[in-house]
Amino acid sequence: MRPMKTIQLYFEIHQIIHLKRYRFFDIGTDHYYYDDYENERSITDIAERSYMPALNTFQEMIKEHGNYFKLAFSISGVGMEQLEMHAPQVIAKLQELNETGCVEFLAEPYSHGLSSLANEECFAEDVKKQAEKMKEYFGKYPTVLRNSSLIYSDDIALQAKAMGFKGMLTEGAKHVLGWKSPHYVYDAVVAPDLKLLLRDVDLSDDISLRFNNPQWPGYPLFADSYINQIAATPKEEQVINIFMELSALGIAQPLSSNILDFIKALPVCAKEKGIIFSTPSEVFDNFKSIDHVSVPDTLSWVDEERDCSCWLGNNMQREAFNKLYSIADRVRIMKDPAITQDWYYLQASNNFRFMTTKPSNVGLDRGIYITPFDAFTNYMNILGDFMRRVKSKYQSLDDDELNDLLTTIRNQGEEISMKDKEIDRLKAMIKKISPDAAEEAEAPKPKKAAKKPAAKKPAAKKA
Protein backbone atom coordinates (compact mmCIF):
# COMPACT_ATOMS: atom_id res chain seq x y z
CA MET A 1 0.00 0.00 0.00
CA ARG A 2 1.39 3.39 -1.03
CA PRO A 3 1.90 5.79 1.92
CA MET A 4 -0.23 8.94 2.01
CA LYS A 5 1.16 12.34 1.09
CA THR A 6 2.77 13.76 4.21
CA ILE A 7 3.99 17.11 5.52
CA GLN A 8 7.19 17.17 7.55
CA LEU A 9 7.14 20.38 9.59
CA TYR A 10 10.46 21.30 11.23
CA PHE A 11 11.56 24.32 13.31
CA GLU A 12 15.03 25.50 14.33
CA ILE A 13 15.55 27.03 17.78
CA HIS A 14 18.81 28.94 18.15
CA GLN A 15 19.77 32.02 20.13
CA ILE A 16 22.98 33.86 19.41
CA ILE A 17 25.40 34.80 22.18
CA HIS A 18 25.97 38.55 21.92
CA LEU A 19 29.58 39.64 22.28
CA LYS A 20 30.40 42.87 24.05
CA ARG A 21 32.63 45.69 22.85
CA TYR A 22 36.13 44.38 23.32
CA ARG A 23 39.11 46.67 22.70
CA PHE A 24 42.64 45.80 21.72
CA PHE A 25 43.84 46.95 25.14
CA ASP A 26 41.50 44.44 26.83
CA ILE A 27 43.55 41.54 25.45
CA GLY A 28 45.31 39.78 28.31
CA THR A 29 43.35 41.60 31.03
CA ASP A 30 39.65 40.82 30.41
CA HIS A 31 38.64 37.22 29.71
CA TYR A 32 34.86 37.74 29.73
CA TYR A 33 33.51 38.44 26.25
CA TYR A 34 29.72 38.65 26.51
CA ASP A 35 27.01 41.28 26.74
CA ASP A 36 24.92 39.80 29.56
CA TYR A 37 22.27 42.49 29.41
CA GLU A 38 21.64 42.04 25.69
CA ASN A 39 21.66 38.26 25.95
CA GLU A 40 19.00 38.31 28.65
CA ARG A 41 16.96 41.00 26.91
CA SER A 42 16.94 39.29 23.53
CA ILE A 43 16.09 35.76 24.69
CA THR A 44 13.38 37.07 27.02
CA ASP A 45 11.89 39.09 24.18
CA ILE A 46 11.90 36.26 21.66
CA ALA A 47 10.49 33.82 24.21
CA GLU A 48 7.60 36.17 24.96
CA ARG A 49 6.83 37.25 21.37
CA SER A 50 7.56 34.01 19.51
CA TYR A 51 8.55 30.81 21.29
CA MET A 52 5.86 30.59 23.96
CA PRO A 53 2.91 31.65 21.74
CA ALA A 54 4.04 29.26 19.00
CA LEU A 55 4.65 26.32 21.35
CA ASN A 56 1.31 26.89 23.09
CA THR A 57 -0.35 26.82 19.67
CA PHE A 58 1.37 23.52 18.80
CA GLN A 59 0.20 22.08 22.11
CA GLU A 60 -3.38 23.11 21.35
CA MET A 61 -3.11 21.55 17.89
CA ILE A 62 -1.89 18.24 19.33
CA LYS A 63 -4.70 18.24 21.90
CA GLU A 64 -7.23 18.88 19.14
CA HIS A 65 -5.87 16.44 16.55
CA GLY A 66 -4.15 13.79 18.67
CA ASN A 67 -1.22 12.03 17.04
CA TYR A 68 -2.36 13.18 13.59
CA PHE A 69 -0.37 16.41 13.96
CA LYS A 70 3.39 15.94 14.33
CA LEU A 71 6.44 18.15 14.03
CA ALA A 72 10.18 18.29 14.72
CA PHE A 73 12.62 20.67 16.39
CA SER A 74 16.35 21.07 16.66
CA ILE A 75 17.84 23.24 19.40
CA SER A 76 21.43 24.44 19.42
CA GLY A 77 23.34 23.85 22.63
CA VAL A 78 24.23 27.54 23.03
CA GLY A 79 20.57 28.40 22.50
CA MET A 80 19.60 25.83 25.11
CA GLU A 81 21.96 27.45 27.59
CA GLN A 82 20.28 30.80 27.05
CA LEU A 83 16.88 29.20 27.65
CA GLU A 84 18.17 27.52 30.81
CA MET A 85 19.35 30.83 32.22
CA HIS A 86 16.68 33.27 31.09
CA ALA A 87 13.60 31.42 29.74
CA PRO A 88 13.23 28.00 31.43
CA GLN A 89 9.49 28.13 30.69
CA VAL A 90 10.32 27.43 27.04
CA ILE A 91 12.17 24.25 27.97
CA ALA A 92 9.28 23.18 30.23
CA LYS A 93 6.85 23.67 27.35
CA LEU A 94 9.06 21.68 24.98
CA GLN A 95 9.13 18.87 27.54
CA GLU A 96 5.33 18.91 27.70
CA LEU A 97 5.23 18.64 23.90
CA ASN A 98 7.74 15.80 24.03
CA GLU A 99 5.48 13.85 26.38
CA THR A 100 2.74 13.78 23.72
CA GLY A 101 4.86 11.54 21.49
CA CYS A 102 4.10 13.81 18.53
CA VAL A 103 7.45 15.65 18.50
CA GLU A 104 10.92 14.58 17.43
CA PHE A 105 14.09 16.38 18.54
CA LEU A 106 17.00 16.34 16.11
CA ALA A 107 20.75 16.56 16.55
CA GLU A 108 22.76 19.56 15.42
CA PRO A 109 26.10 21.14 16.37
CA TYR A 110 26.07 22.43 19.95
CA SER A 111 27.72 25.67 18.84
CA HIS A 112 25.49 26.23 15.81
CA GLY A 113 28.84 26.77 14.14
CA LEU A 114 30.84 25.78 11.10
CA SER A 115 32.86 22.91 12.59
CA SER A 116 31.71 20.56 9.80
CA LEU A 117 33.73 22.69 7.38
CA ALA A 118 36.90 22.70 9.46
CA ASN A 119 37.64 19.69 11.62
CA GLU A 120 35.96 16.25 11.57
CA GLU A 121 36.73 15.41 15.19
CA CYS A 122 35.60 18.84 16.34
CA PHE A 123 32.34 18.42 14.39
CA ALA A 124 31.74 14.99 15.91
CA GLU A 125 32.23 16.35 19.45
CA ASP A 126 30.06 19.38 18.64
CA VAL A 127 27.16 17.16 17.56
CA LYS A 128 27.63 14.59 20.33
CA LYS A 129 27.51 17.28 23.03
CA GLN A 130 24.20 18.64 21.70
CA ALA A 131 22.72 15.15 21.23
CA GLU A 132 23.53 14.27 24.84
CA LYS A 133 21.76 17.45 25.95
CA MET A 134 18.69 16.42 23.95
CA LYS A 135 18.73 13.03 25.66
CA GLU A 136 19.14 14.72 29.06
CA TYR A 137 16.04 16.85 28.59
CA PHE A 138 13.85 14.74 26.30
CA GLY A 139 14.87 11.18 27.10
CA LYS A 140 16.10 10.03 23.69
CA TYR A 141 19.33 10.30 21.76
CA PRO A 142 18.55 11.80 18.32
CA THR A 143 18.84 9.58 15.25
CA VAL A 144 18.45 12.35 12.64
CA LEU A 145 20.98 15.13 12.11
CA ARG A 146 20.38 18.69 11.01
CA ASN A 147 23.59 20.67 10.52
CA SER A 148 23.81 24.42 11.27
CA SER A 149 21.76 26.31 8.63
CA LEU A 150 21.23 22.99 6.80
CA ILE A 151 24.92 22.94 5.76
CA TYR A 152 25.54 19.76 3.76
CA SER A 153 27.97 18.17 1.35
CA ASP A 154 29.08 14.67 0.36
CA ASP A 155 31.95 14.91 2.86
CA ILE A 156 29.56 15.89 5.66
CA ALA A 157 27.30 12.97 4.71
CA LEU A 158 30.21 10.59 5.34
CA GLN A 159 30.78 12.18 8.74
CA ALA A 160 27.08 11.90 9.63
CA LYS A 161 27.03 8.24 8.65
CA ALA A 162 30.18 7.57 10.71
CA MET A 163 28.41 9.15 13.71
CA GLY A 164 25.55 6.66 13.34
CA PHE A 165 22.74 8.89 12.07
CA LYS A 166 20.13 7.35 9.79
CA GLY A 167 19.27 10.58 8.01
CA MET A 168 19.84 14.30 7.56
CA LEU A 169 17.86 17.39 6.66
CA THR A 170 19.19 19.78 4.04
CA GLU A 171 18.20 22.36 1.44
CA GLY A 172 16.28 21.50 -1.74
CA ALA A 173 18.36 23.93 -3.81
CA LYS A 174 17.62 24.03 -7.54
CA HIS A 175 21.30 24.01 -8.53
CA VAL A 176 21.64 20.66 -6.75
CA LEU A 177 18.33 19.03 -7.65
CA GLY A 178 18.12 20.22 -11.26
CA TRP A 179 14.95 18.72 -12.69
CA LYS A 180 14.35 16.58 -9.58
CA SER A 181 11.66 17.42 -7.02
CA PRO A 182 12.38 17.91 -3.29
CA HIS A 183 9.21 15.94 -2.52
CA TYR A 184 10.90 12.53 -2.22
CA VAL A 185 13.29 10.78 0.13
CA TYR A 186 16.78 10.64 -1.32
CA ASP A 187 20.03 9.10 -0.14
CA ALA A 188 23.58 10.42 -0.05
CA VAL A 189 25.59 9.34 -3.09
CA VAL A 190 28.63 8.57 -0.92
CA ALA A 191 26.63 6.89 1.88
CA PRO A 192 23.55 5.10 0.47
CA ASP A 193 22.33 4.15 3.96
CA LEU A 194 22.07 7.83 4.93
CA LYS A 195 18.66 9.17 3.88
CA LEU A 196 17.99 12.83 3.09
CA LEU A 197 14.98 15.14 3.42
CA LEU A 198 15.19 18.23 1.21
CA ARG A 199 13.51 21.49 2.15
CA ASP A 200 10.84 22.84 -0.20
CA VAL A 201 12.23 26.34 -0.59
CA ASP A 202 9.09 28.04 -1.92
CA LEU A 203 6.58 26.51 0.49
CA SER A 204 8.86 27.18 3.46
CA ASP A 205 9.66 30.77 2.50
CA ASP A 206 6.01 31.54 1.78
CA ILE A 207 5.45 31.22 5.53
CA SER A 208 8.77 32.33 7.02
CA LEU A 209 9.65 35.24 4.69
CA ARG A 210 6.62 36.39 2.67
CA PHE A 211 3.52 35.75 4.76
CA ASN A 212 3.08 39.35 5.97
CA ASN A 213 4.32 41.11 2.83
CA PRO A 214 1.45 42.94 1.07
CA GLN A 215 3.68 43.40 -2.00
CA TRP A 216 3.94 39.64 -2.50
CA PRO A 217 1.60 38.35 -5.26
CA GLY A 218 0.52 35.48 -2.99
CA TYR A 219 -0.65 37.84 -0.23
CA PRO A 220 -2.81 37.18 1.73
CA LEU A 221 -1.99 33.51 2.19
CA PHE A 222 -4.73 31.30 3.63
CA ALA A 223 -4.36 27.79 5.02
CA ASP A 224 -6.79 26.22 2.54
CA SER A 225 -5.01 27.66 -0.51
CA TYR A 226 -1.63 26.67 0.95
CA ILE A 227 -2.77 23.07 1.47
CA ASN A 228 -4.34 23.09 -2.01
CA GLN A 229 -0.88 23.83 -3.44
CA ILE A 230 0.47 20.80 -1.64
CA ALA A 231 -2.44 18.58 -2.71
CA ALA A 232 -1.95 19.69 -6.32
CA THR A 233 1.59 18.28 -6.50
CA PRO A 234 1.85 15.02 -8.48
CA LYS A 235 0.61 12.07 -6.44
CA GLU A 236 4.03 10.43 -6.67
CA GLU A 237 5.55 13.40 -4.82
CA GLN A 238 4.60 12.43 -1.30
CA VAL A 239 7.03 14.09 1.14
CA ILE A 240 6.59 17.85 1.61
CA ASN A 241 9.37 19.27 3.79
CA ILE A 242 8.62 22.67 5.35
CA PHE A 243 11.60 23.89 7.38
CA MET A 244 12.12 27.27 9.08
CA GLU A 245 13.29 29.03 12.23
CA LEU A 246 10.74 29.00 15.05
CA SER A 247 11.28 32.76 15.39
CA ALA A 248 9.56 33.15 12.00
CA LEU A 249 6.35 32.73 14.00
CA GLY A 250 6.13 35.97 15.96
CA ILE A 251 9.33 37.81 14.99
CA ALA A 252 9.86 37.63 11.21
CA GLN A 253 6.08 37.34 10.84
CA PRO A 254 4.51 39.26 13.76
CA LEU A 255 1.64 37.79 15.73
CA SER A 256 -0.55 40.66 14.48
CA SER A 257 -0.34 39.09 11.00
CA ASN A 258 -2.41 36.14 12.31
CA ILE A 259 0.44 33.78 11.49
CA LEU A 260 -0.50 31.42 14.34
CA ASP A 261 -4.12 31.25 13.18
CA PHE A 262 -2.76 30.22 9.78
CA ILE A 263 -0.57 27.51 11.35
CA LYS A 264 -3.44 26.26 13.50
CA ALA A 265 -5.68 25.84 10.46
CA LEU A 266 -3.18 23.72 8.49
CA PRO A 267 -4.14 20.30 10.01
CA VAL A 268 -7.85 21.02 9.52
CA CYS A 269 -7.33 21.74 5.82
CA ALA A 270 -4.82 18.91 5.37
CA LYS A 271 -7.24 16.33 6.77
CA GLU A 272 -9.81 17.31 4.15
CA LYS A 273 -7.26 16.54 1.43
CA GLY A 274 -6.10 13.24 2.93
CA ILE A 275 -2.67 14.66 3.81
CA ILE A 276 -0.96 13.61 7.04
CA PHE A 277 1.90 14.96 9.18
CA SER A 278 5.04 12.97 10.04
CA THR A 279 8.29 13.33 11.95
CA PRO A 280 11.59 12.88 10.06
CA SER A 281 12.16 9.42 11.55
CA GLU A 282 8.67 8.33 10.49
CA VAL A 283 9.35 9.52 6.95
CA PHE A 284 12.62 7.61 6.83
CA ASP A 285 10.91 4.49 8.20
CA ASN A 286 7.87 4.62 5.88
CA PHE A 287 9.26 5.94 2.60
CA LYS A 288 11.97 4.43 0.43
CA SER A 289 14.67 6.48 -1.20
CA ILE A 290 14.01 6.95 -4.91
CA ASP A 291 17.45 8.20 -5.96
CA HIS A 292 20.73 9.59 -4.65
CA VAL A 293 21.83 13.20 -4.41
CA SER A 294 25.40 14.31 -5.09
CA VAL A 295 26.57 17.53 -3.41
CA PRO A 296 30.33 17.96 -4.01
CA ASP A 297 30.19 21.66 -3.06
CA THR A 298 28.81 22.81 0.27
CA LEU A 299 25.11 23.66 0.44
CA SER A 300 23.08 25.70 2.98
CA TRP A 301 19.68 27.41 3.28
CA VAL A 302 21.09 30.96 3.41
CA ASP A 303 20.85 33.65 0.68
CA GLU A 304 20.16 33.16 -3.02
CA GLU A 305 23.37 31.20 -3.61
CA ARG A 306 22.47 28.55 -0.98
CA ASP A 307 26.14 28.11 -0.13
CA CYS A 308 28.56 29.18 2.63
CA SER A 309 29.57 32.55 1.17
CA CYS A 310 27.59 34.46 3.80
CA TRP A 311 30.06 33.15 6.43
CA LEU A 312 33.26 32.61 4.42
CA GLY A 313 32.85 34.83 1.38
CA ASN A 314 35.50 37.47 2.08
CA ASN A 315 39.07 37.62 3.37
CA MET A 316 38.07 38.87 6.83
CA GLN A 317 35.72 35.94 7.40
CA ARG A 318 38.21 33.38 6.15
CA GLU A 319 41.00 34.81 8.31
CA ALA A 320 38.81 34.71 11.43
CA PHE A 321 37.62 31.19 10.59
CA ASN A 322 41.13 29.84 9.96
CA LYS A 323 42.52 31.47 13.11
CA LEU A 324 39.74 30.03 15.25
CA TYR A 325 40.09 26.46 14.01
CA SER A 326 43.88 26.57 14.04
CA ILE A 327 43.63 25.89 17.79
CA ALA A 328 40.79 23.35 17.59
CA ASP A 329 42.96 20.36 18.47
CA ARG A 330 44.52 22.15 21.44
CA VAL A 331 41.08 23.05 22.79
CA ARG A 332 39.81 19.49 22.35
CA ILE A 333 42.54 17.93 24.47
CA MET A 334 42.42 20.56 27.23
CA LYS A 335 39.07 19.62 28.79
CA ASP A 336 39.00 23.00 30.56
CA PRO A 337 35.34 23.96 31.29
CA ALA A 338 35.82 27.73 30.93
CA ILE A 339 37.82 27.36 27.72
CA THR A 340 35.33 24.86 26.31
CA GLN A 341 32.34 27.11 26.98
CA ASP A 342 34.00 30.07 25.27
CA TRP A 343 35.02 27.77 22.41
CA TYR A 344 31.40 26.88 21.63
CA TYR A 345 30.24 30.48 21.88
CA LEU A 346 33.00 31.77 19.59
CA GLN A 347 32.23 29.12 16.96
CA ALA A 348 28.62 30.29 16.48
CA SER A 349 28.05 31.07 12.81
CA ASN A 350 26.52 34.49 13.42
CA ASN A 351 29.96 35.77 14.49
CA PHE A 352 31.09 35.26 10.88
CA ARG A 353 27.78 36.38 9.36
CA PHE A 354 28.20 39.82 10.92
CA MET A 355 31.39 40.22 8.84
CA THR A 356 29.69 39.60 5.49
CA THR A 357 29.97 42.19 2.72
CA LYS A 358 27.38 40.44 0.55
CA PRO A 359 24.09 42.11 -0.34
CA SER A 360 21.13 40.07 0.87
CA ASN A 361 17.39 40.11 0.25
CA VAL A 362 16.94 39.23 3.94
CA GLY A 363 17.75 42.06 6.33
CA LEU A 364 20.80 41.49 8.52
CA ASP A 365 20.85 43.02 11.99
CA ARG A 366 24.53 43.46 12.91
CA GLY A 367 23.71 44.39 16.49
CA ILE A 368 26.45 46.51 18.03
CA TYR A 369 28.48 46.54 14.81
CA ILE A 370 28.36 49.43 12.35
CA THR A 371 30.24 47.75 9.51
CA PRO A 372 31.59 44.29 8.60
CA PHE A 373 35.09 45.52 9.47
CA ASP A 374 33.83 46.62 12.88
CA ALA A 375 32.50 43.09 13.49
CA PHE A 376 35.79 41.58 12.30
CA THR A 377 37.91 43.84 14.53
CA ASN A 378 35.87 43.15 17.67
CA TYR A 379 35.84 39.39 17.05
CA MET A 380 39.57 39.25 16.34
CA ASN A 381 40.35 41.14 19.54
CA ILE A 382 38.34 38.56 21.52
CA LEU A 383 39.88 35.69 19.56
CA GLY A 384 43.34 37.08 20.25
CA ASP A 385 42.75 36.92 23.99
CA PHE A 386 41.15 33.47 23.74
CA MET A 387 44.10 32.08 21.74
CA ARG A 388 46.54 33.44 24.32
CA ARG A 389 44.62 31.63 27.07
CA VAL A 390 44.63 28.36 25.12
CA LYS A 391 48.30 28.49 24.21
CA SER A 392 49.31 29.43 27.75
CA LYS A 393 48.05 26.03 28.90
CA TYR A 394 50.55 24.28 26.65
CA GLN A 395 53.48 26.66 26.51
CA SER A 396 55.97 23.81 26.74
CA LEU A 397 54.19 21.72 24.07
CA ASP A 398 55.34 22.32 20.50
CA ASP A 399 53.37 21.32 17.40
CA ASP A 400 55.15 17.96 16.95
CA GLU A 401 54.48 16.99 20.56
CA LEU A 402 50.87 18.09 20.17
CA ASN A 403 50.48 15.92 17.07
CA ASP A 404 51.98 12.93 18.90
CA LEU A 405 49.52 13.44 21.76
CA LEU A 406 46.57 13.66 19.36
CA THR A 407 47.72 10.50 17.58
CA THR A 408 47.80 8.68 20.92
CA ILE A 409 44.27 9.87 21.72
CA ARG A 410 42.99 8.76 18.30
CA ASN A 411 44.63 5.36 18.65
CA GLN A 412 43.02 4.89 22.06
CA GLY A 413 39.64 5.75 20.57
CA GLU A 414 40.11 3.29 17.71
CA GLU A 415 41.17 0.59 20.18
CA ILE A 416 38.02 1.16 22.26
CA SER A 417 35.91 1.02 19.09
CA MET A 418 37.51 -2.29 18.07
CA LYS A 419 36.88 -3.74 21.52
CA ASP A 420 33.22 -2.65 21.35
CA LYS A 421 32.87 -4.44 18.00
CA GLU A 422 34.49 -7.56 19.45
CA ILE A 423 32.04 -7.47 22.39
CA ASP A 424 29.12 -7.24 19.93
CA ARG A 425 30.53 -10.19 17.96
CA LEU A 426 30.89 -12.31 21.10
CA LYS A 427 27.33 -11.43 22.20
CA ALA A 428 26.06 -12.59 18.80
CA MET A 429 27.93 -15.90 19.22
CA ILE A 430 26.49 -16.36 22.71
CA LYS A 431 23.00 -15.74 21.34
CA LYS A 432 23.43 -18.50 18.78
CA ILE A 433 24.75 -20.96 21.37
CA SER A 434 22.43 -20.07 24.27
CA PRO A 435 19.54 -17.58 23.73
CA ASP A 436 18.75 -17.55 27.48
CA ALA A 437 22.31 -16.56 28.38
CA ALA A 438 22.23 -13.85 25.74
CA GLU A 439 19.03 -12.37 27.16
CA GLU A 440 20.59 -12.31 30.62
CA ALA A 441 23.69 -10.55 29.26
CA GLU A 442 21.61 -7.96 27.41
CA ALA A 443 19.24 -7.19 30.33
CA PRO A 444 19.68 -3.54 31.32
CA LYS A 445 20.57 -2.68 34.89
CA PRO A 446 18.01 -0.65 36.81
CA LYS A 447 18.56 3.09 36.57
CA LYS A 448 17.62 5.76 39.05
CA ALA A 449 14.81 8.02 37.92
CA ALA A 450 16.25 11.02 36.14
CA LYS A 451 15.54 14.36 37.71
CA LYS A 452 14.33 17.18 35.51
CA PRO A 453 17.35 19.44 34.98
CA ALA A 454 17.16 22.76 36.76
CA ALA A 455 17.90 26.00 34.96
CA LYS A 456 21.56 26.91 35.14
CA LYS A 457 22.60 30.11 36.79
CA PRO A 458 24.57 32.60 34.72
CA ALA A 459 28.28 31.96 34.87
CA ALA A 460 30.21 34.36 37.04
CA LYS A 461 32.26 36.85 35.11
CA LYS A 462 35.83 35.77 34.67
CA ALA A 463 38.47 38.06 36.05
Side-chain angles (χ1 to χ4, degrees), residues 347-360:
Q347 285 187 82
S349 62
N350 57 280
N351 292 316
F352 302 95
R353 184 81 190 274
F354 292 150
M355 304 175 200
T356 187
T357 51
K358 281 181 58 181
S360 174

Side-chain angles (χ1 to χ4, degrees), residues 63-119:
K63 286 181 179 178
E64 180 179 353
H65 301 285
N67 63 2
Y68 167 77
F69 178 69
K70 297 175 182 178
L71 70 163
F73 297 97
S74 75
I75 314 171
S76 71
V78 296
M80 200 71 169
E81 288 187 21
Q82 291 295 292
L83 294 175
E84 288 171 332
M85 287 190 284
H86 304 302
Q89 71 274 19
V90 174
I91 298 177
K93 184 60 65 175
L94 287 166
Q95 289 176 320
E96 290 177 18
L97 289 171
N98 180 57
E99 290 168 1
T100 67
C102 297
V103 175
E104 180 175 4
F105 291 90
L106 312 185
E108 73 159 64
Y110 192 93
S111 66
H112 198 272
L114 308 175
S115 56
S116 61
L117 307 177
N119 186 302

